[in-house]
Amino acid sequence: MSHRSRWLAGACASTVAVGLLVTGGALSPPPRAGAESGAGSSAESGAGSEVAVGAYLHYGSPGVERMGELSRWLGGAELRAGHTYLPGDTWANIEGAPESLRSWARWRAARADRLFVLNVPMLEGNEAGVGDQRVAELLRSGARGAYDHHFRRLAGRLVGLGVPDTVIVLGWEMNGFNYTHRCRPDPESWKRYWRRVVAAMRSVKGQRLRFDFAPNRGGDAIAWTRCYPGDDVVDIIGMDSYDQEPGATFDEQVTQPYGLQQQVDFAKAHGKRISYPEWGLFRRGDNPEYMRRMLGWIARHQPLYHSITDYCPHGVWQCGQNPRSAQVFRDLLSAGPGRGGPARPGAAVRGQDRGSGPVPGWGPAFAVAPRAGLSAGGAGPRGGGGVHP
């Protein structure tokens, strides 16, 4: 999914049991009938492992403020994963220029068990509609080290801000069609470029960065396994997955080629944790069954973190068009029954927060109506600079 106009908006187990997702408890709901009931344990699952719950709420400082508001809506449940994006319009922004990083760094420093998750584009002009031939040329330049200095600067900035342990979701949804940092035009150069970026960032003194390889669910433009750059430069196997094709049902989203089960199996084979940096509702509208099944899958497989995309049409808190799914999300992730008062999806969207339009330099605003060029596993127009509220 592009960074587009992002703004806030029991079948699996009892509220208390699934609520342990928030606190990192070992309990998980019993498997439902269907594909996930036959899924094997993955490398990242097991008693005592912790799942950091998060949501994408806003790319800048308002996102930090809304973390507390969403937590209160969830009855005081702790949100340990703070998730945002760097713009992909210019190299200066990819180097970490946005002032809002300071706010996220303060949020991260407030608790030792928090995770700061940062999506980082690999090329500037990431939503500029660059053609395959030019993308291949840029990837080859990156593989030769032409852009190493930009990523060293970013790593240095993160260390200087006191977030040296940031989870970097680098070149996300690389198996799609439209991001300039996409893999398909030259997979071998893409992999070499990823390795150069990781080496450059790891060369910075004091960093403890972790790198998350996060394709779209499904085959999309290229099999994401063809883009995998190697175990020594990947720490987490992520996946962006929304309620849409490919996969007419949740079971099909699990079992399809390059789907949720293959992600779990691939991560186990490579000794990696999994994650879900982006997930949520989409083509099928308010779908409480999807919400139950996805949260059940997360509870079973214990990713390092997951982050719902919480703006319309994907979200549950400030998106009033998904009230039934919002109730499921709240019931299953709340810190306790009756702790937060009545669910009021969309209640926190006020004035300019909703539909505030594009931020300069971030590309066209995301529209709820389908557009051409949508990737299969992600949601929203394919690109990489992105628009945020």
Side-chain angles (χ1 to χ4, degrees):
M1 152 191 314
S2 65
H3 319 194
R4 55 266 120 171
S5 287
R6 302 174 180 271
W7 34 269
L8 191 59
C12 295
S14 69
T15 298
V16 174
V18 183
L20 287 169
L21 280 167
V22 178
T23 58
L27 292 178
S28 62
R32 294 177 51 84
E36 70 260 47
S37 64
S41 298
S42 60
E44 72 284 349
S45 63
S49 61
E50 293 188 355
V51 179
V53 177
Y56 177 79
L57 306 176
H58 188 284
Y59 81 98
S61 298
V64 180
E65 300 162 8
R66 292 173 187 177
M67 292 286 281
E69 296 175 30
L70 178 56
S71 176
R72 287 189 291 276
W73 184 71
L74 290 171
E78 177 66 19
L79 301 177
R80 293 198 301 109
H83 182 206
T84 192
Y85 296 70
L86 289 176
D89 52 350
T90 66
W91 280 117
N93 278 328
I94 295 173
E95 291 173 0
E99 184 62 26
S100 59
L101 283 182
R102 295 186 183 276
S103 297
W104 287 108
R106 287 192 293 269
W107 174 87
R108 167 64 185 89
R111 286 183 59 121
D113 62 347
R114 285 177 172 172
L115 293 176
F116 178 46
V117 180
L118 182 64
N119 279 47
V120 175
M122 293 172 70
L123 290 166
E124 68 173 350
N126 205 29
E127 286 191 1
V130 179
D132 281 357
Q133 182 175 346
R134 179 57 178 157
V135 167
E137 293 171 356
L138 293 169
L139 293 176
R140 287 192 286 271
S141 293
R144 293 192 294 267
Y147 313 124
D148 288 5
H149 59 291
H150 298 298
F151 295 98
R152 283 194 294 267
R153 287 172 186 162
L154 172 59
R157 184 159 290 170
L158 294 172
V159 171
L161 289 172
V163 283
D165 56 352
T166 296
V167 174
I168 302 292
V169 187
L170 180 64
W172 70 100
E173 299 182 8
M174 76 299 294
N175 58 327
F177 286 91
N178 290 29
Y179 282 130
T180 305
H181 68 213
R182 64 191 183 271
C183 171
R184 186 179 69 165
D186 190 340
E188 294 306 313
S189 291
W190 191 93
K191 289 185 285 188
R192 289 194 297 272
Y193 182 28
W194 171 291
R195 297 183 66 85
R196 293 286 314 213
V197 171
V198 172
M201 296 187 76
R202 285 179 174 171
S203 72
V204 173
K205 183 178 180 180
Q207 66 79 32
R208 304 193 307 278
L209 303 168
R210 285 182 283 181
F211 293 87
D212 191 337
F213 174 84
N216 285 318
R217 173 178 54 79
D220 222 335
I222 185 173
W224 51 260
T225 52
R226 289 187 58 195
C227 306
Y228 187 68
D231 290 345
D232 57 328
V233 290
V234 172
D235 300 292
I236 304 157
I237 307 294
M239 181 163 281
D240 291 355
S241 184
Y242 291 84
D243 186 24
Q244 65 169 357
E245 298 291 344
T249 66
F250 187 80
D251 288 345
E252 291 179 11
Q253 293 176 21
V254 170
T255 60
Q256 66 189 210
Y258 310 104
L260 293 171
Q261 187 62 57
Q262 187 161 348
Q263 176 213 15
V264 167
D265 293 343
F266 188 90
K268 181 179 180 180
H270 291 263
K272 307 296 182 183
R273 297 289 300 269
I274 63 169
S275 73
Y276 297 102
E278 294 185 24
W279 70 276
L281 303 161
F282 197 18
R283 299 296 190 191
R284 299 178 182 92
D286 187 7
N287 187 349
E289 177 65 8
Y290 167 82
M291 188 61 62
R292 282 190 288 268
R293 297 294 297 275
M294 187 64 185
L295 288 174
W297 180 265
I298 288 168
R300 177 178 178 86
H301 293 286
Q302 296 283 288
L304 177 65
Y305 70 92
H306 69 95
S307 175
I308 190 170
T309 299
D310 204 48
Y311 66 88
C312 284
H314 315 299
V316 293
W317 180 39
Q318 286 198 312
C319 182
Q321 68 192 45
N322 300 316
R324 295 181 300 155
S325 299
Q327 189 64 60
V328 171
F329 186 89
R330 192 167 186 262
D331 285 348
L332 297 185
L333 291 183
S334 177
R339 294 274 308 270
R344 296 194 303 136
V349 181
R350 299 178 298 273
Q352 293 300 314
D353 287 346
R354 189 160 194 160
S356 57
V359 172
W362 286 65
F366 174 78
V368 174
R371 292 185 178 184
L374 292 174
S375 286
R382 289 288 155 250
V387 180
H388 297 267

